[in-house]
Amino acid sequence: MKQAAARLSPLHLSDGRSAGSVLQTAGSLLWIPQAALLAWSLQSLTDGGGMRSVVLPALAVFMLGVLRAVCEMAGTRLTFKRARAHLSKIRAVLADSLAMRSPLDPQRPASGLAASAMAEQAEAILPYLARYQPARMRATLVPLFILSAVFSVSWLAGLILLVAAPLIPIFMALVGWRAKAASEAQMSEIGGMNGFLLDRLRGLTTIRSLQAVDLTANRLQSAAHALRRRTMAVLRIAFLSSAVLELFAALGVAMVAVYIGFHLLGQLNFGAWSGKLSLGQGLFVLLLAPSFFEPLRELSAVWHDRAAGEAALEQIERLTRQGMPLPEAGLHAVGQTSARHDAMRAPTIAVRNLHFSYPDSGHAVFAGLNLHIERGEHVAIVAPSGAGKSTLLSLMAGMASPQQGDIVIGDCRLQADTAAALRARMAWIGQKPHVFAGSVRSNVTLGRAGMDSGDVELALRLAALHKVRQAQAGVMLAEMGGGLSGGEAVRLALARAAAHPHADILLVDEPTAHLDRDTAEEVMRALLHLAQGRTMAVATHDMALVQRLDRSIVLGEREKVRA
């Protein structure tokens, strides 16, 4: 996860000096020679040069205009492509970091929050990269060149622009601090509302059964009103910054125009290096004065994009840096030979001096835990709720790293460089298996290559699902298991394990919880049949299941061996 955050940081610190930004800035600077040619042409006409004297300058102005348009077009395309590539990279980093979060992580973001960050919040970064950063580069360089050109003609006009210019970025900085805070609050409100909505949609059946529809609707309405207020606060700041910028820009241009007008009328005989400005020189200054403020005006127009983009980047970086990661190196170690095993030969599992506690928790879940599971043994892990049964299974599956101690599977120590390879030989069966929207076949195979319809049918038969109409291979299932009962969902997880080509370890968490006695009996029979020839650890409170396993291990006590 630290690697993911490191990959994201250069994007956050990008200064926008791309080829596209340079082309757009160069296109804006071409207006200076265009203004000079226009002013020179007018001066030639007033001096009696005739139409012939302006043909070549007019052609040059036209060619510079075409070149300027080409630079703007090419620069915009390059900038957008670069911004889109950066956004894709940010989303890939975020997806990787979320995938690397441990299921044991108590700070895992809600699905709605993660989806909001990856979709709509990440999309706010695109205008920041494609519009704000090129505008910032133009606002930095173009006014300096224009100011130099104006100063070369009139020191007073240049001084007016120099005095008016700093007022704009100073005010924009003051507004920007408030805009960023408002955008961060809006992003947080959007993520929280999405998480709330998705959670309630998933539990809609429960909400209806508890007659809490009106209460939920009122809470959703309150969240929507809070989001509306946050959004309006951001818009008020954006409109305020634009209005103030336009005011200062208009005053600056007006002061330059007043000075040039009175100077040409002979009322003000100072401010020019040559003593007296010509009509061409005055026109040149007047043409450049609005262009001096134009990059700053563009920067103000995209100032909200900056606030929203940086707020989105910080939100995404928080998601990549927080939480409990999976062993990082394990994602790249699937093919390592250190975790090799003999086909159809179940391994032993040894836990030695295990210490584990959750982040920011003063309570140690395990402090020196030791246990041993023999090859092919079926063991029940028994303890009161909250004592760490599911946590122990997750640690055996390499879903988190203990602070101290070892977990040894076969002759291989579970650690960062072997975790993924060891997980490849495990099958996890939880009490609430996740069912994806799709066919029963795809929910059994889970994208594993090399599995044909015969393998799927055999797995469904082993899980006692072959006679269940809604669990046939071609039947489509809704997200979260719509169409299956709780027991059938657990048996679907058993079918996944049965179809796993390399699973010789079964880690089972409360397989009969929340099931009626008949359904629990079917699940137990299927589980015991599946566990033949495999090493199995089952966390359970069900004494009927405990009685049918080889022995039980009570956490906090010595292992109890069943005769």
Side-chain angles (χ1 to χ4, degrees):
M1 191 172 297
K2 293 178 181 178
Q3 293 173 352
R7 289 169 55 197
L8 188 60
S9 296
L11 295 177
H12 183 62
L13 301 175
S14 175
D15 59 5
R17 295 175 186 172
S18 64
S21 299
V22 171
L23 281 174
Q24 289 177 282
T25 302
S28 299
L29 290 174
L30 290 175
W31 172 241
I32 297 177
Q34 280 184 300
L37 288 169
L38 289 171
W40 185 81
S41 299
L42 179 62
Q43 187 66 49
S44 297
L45 288 174
T46 57
D47 292 341
M51 292 299 296
R52 292 185 177 181
S53 63
V54 299
V55 173
L56 289 179
L59 182 62
V61 169
F62 174 76
M63 296 302 296
L64 286 172
V66 173
L67 181 59
R68 184 179 178 184
V70 170
C71 288
E72 287 285 348
M73 179 186 68
T76 301
R77 287 177 61 88
L78 287 174
T79 301
F80 183 81
K81 289 177 64 176
R82 173 179 175 269
R84 179 56 70 181
H86 278 221
L87 179 58
S88 298
K89 184 177 181 180
I90 289 172
R91 281 178 166 148
V93 170
L94 178 58
D96 288 346
S97 66
L98 291 174
M100 291 166 64
R101 296 284 284 269
S102 170
L104 296 181
D105 187 0
Q107 299 179 353
R108 290 182 72 189
S111 300
L113 177 61
S116 175
M118 190 174 293
E120 54 190 324
Q121 293 186 34
E123 198 65 29
I125 300 172
L126 184 62
Y128 169 66
L129 295 174
R131 295 168 52 188
Y132 169 75
Q133 291 193 343
R136 184 181 65 177
M137 187 175 185
R138 288 197 299 272
T140 303
L141 297 179
V142 173
L144 293 178
F145 282 90
I146 292 178
L147 189 64
S148 300
V150 171
F151 258 116
S152 68
V153 176
S154 170
W155 59 267
L156 184 57
L159 187 61
I160 292 173
L161 296 179
L162 188 61
V163 171
L167 298 176
I168 297 173
I170 289 174
F171 182 80
M172 288 175 64
L174 294 174
V175 174
W177 293 332
R178 179 58 184 161
K180 183 179 179 181
S183 295
E184 289 177 347
Q186 184 200 29
M187 292 291 180
S188 177
E189 199 76 42
I190 290 174
M193 182 177 175
N194 286 342
F196 174 82
L197 180 59
L198 182 58
D199 179 68
R200 295 310 184 269
L201 287 175
R202 286 176 172 173
L204 191 57
T205 302
T206 304
I207 291 173
R208 285 177 174 173
S209 64
L210 295 176
Q211 298 181 352
V213 174
D214 291 339
L215 178 62
T216 302
N218 290 335
R219 289 191 59 185
L220 182 61
Q221 185 180 31
S222 299
H225 285 321
L227 176 60
R228 176 181 57 81
R229 289 191 294 270
R230 299 286 189 188
T231 303
M232 294 305 298
V234 172
L235 291 177
R236 280 197 300 270
I237 294 171
F239 286 132
L240 175 63
S241 61
S242 298
V244 173
L245 172 64
E246 292 294 337
L247 174 64
F248 284 123
L251 290 175
V253 173
M255 291 175 65
V256 172
V258 169
Y259 162 70
I260 296 297
F262 279 103
H263 186 92
L264 293 177
L265 290 173
Q267 301 297 318
L268 298 175
N269 296 317
F270 61 92
W273 298 108
S274 58
K276 178 69 175 179
L277 290 176
S278 66
L279 179 61
Q281 289 175 323
L283 179 62
F284 178 65
V285 173
L286 285 175
L287 288 173
L288 290 184
S291 300
F292 176 81
F293 293 101
E294 183 178 355
L296 298 175
R297 190 179 293 113
E298 292 177 356
L299 187 63
S300 175
V302 297
W303 197 252
H304 172 69
D305 295 332
R306 168 192 174 273
E310 290 188 348
L313 275 171
E314 291 186 5
Q315 172 74 359
I316 290 173
E317 285 199 354
R318 281 195 293 269
L319 291 179
T320 61
R321 289 174 178 170
Q322 290 178 349
M324 181 191 303
L326 287 168
E328 295 178 12
L331 293 178
H332 311 287
V334 176
Q336 291 202 9
T337 58
S338 59
R340 64 182 181 271
H341 63 283
D342 298 328
M344 302 305 293
R345 189 179 181 190
T348 58
I349 301 176
V351 177
R352 302 169 182 167
N353 194 31
L354 186 70
H355 290 72
F356 178 78
S357 60
Y358 288 100
D360 303 324
S361 172
H363 172 67
V365 182
F366 301 118
L369 177 67
N370 293 277
L371 61 87
H372 185 85
I373 302 175
E374 295 292 342
R375 190 187 309 275
E377 191 177 23
H378 304 159
V379 172
I381 298 175
V382 182
S385 297
K389 300 187 301 298
S390 298
T391 300
L392 178 58
L393 292 182
S394 298
L395 291 171
M396 289 180 179
M399 297 299 179
S401 299
Q403 285 80 32
Q404 185 179 336
D406 295 325
I407 297 176
V408 181
I409 297 176
D411 59 354
C412 181
R413 181 174 178 266
L414 179 61
Q415 54 191 14
D417 59 347
T418 61
L422 288 172
R423 280 196 294 267
R425 64 189 296 187
M426 299 176 185
W428 178 278
I429 302 170
Q431 55 180 304
K432 294 182 179 179
H434 185 86
V435 179
F436 299 92
S439 66
V440 172
R441 179 182 293 104
S442 63
N443 270 279
V444 171
T445 61
L446 294 179
R448 292 188 287 256
M451 295 186 62
D452 55 25
S453 58
D455 296 326
V456 174
E457 292 294 340
L458 179 59
L460 293 174
R461 184 175 294 275
L462 288 173
L465 284 173
H466 59 290
K467 294 182 179 180
V468 179
R469 179 175 300 178
Q470 63 268 30
Q472 299 305 300
V475 173
M476 301 301 294
L477 300 174
E479 188 75 15
M480 302 300 296
L484 295 179
S485 67
E488 289 165 351
V490 173
R491 281 187 281 168
L492 181 63
L494 291 174
R496 289 173 178 169
H500 197 312
H502 305 298
D504 52 10
I505 303 171
L506 297 182
L507 301 176
V508 188
D509 187 14
E510 298 283 2
T512 60
H514 315 300
L515 301 180
D516 61 81
R517 195 68 262 167
D518 292 339
T519 303
E521 183 64 27
E522 292 179 356
V523 168
M524 282 190 285
R525 283 199 301 266
L527 177 63
L528 293 173
H529 180 71
L530 175 63
Q532 293 178 10
R534 294 177 169 92
T535 301
M536 181 172 69
V538 183
T540 184
H541 290 107
D542 190 344
M543 295 310 298
L545 177 57
V546 173
Q547 294 289 337
R548 299 173 72 167
L549 300 179
D550 296 332
R551 63 187 175 99
S552 64
I553 298 174
V554 181
L555 296 183
E557 300 181 10
R558 292 188 175 185
E559 301 179 16
K560 295 182 179 180
V561 183
R562 301 198 69 83

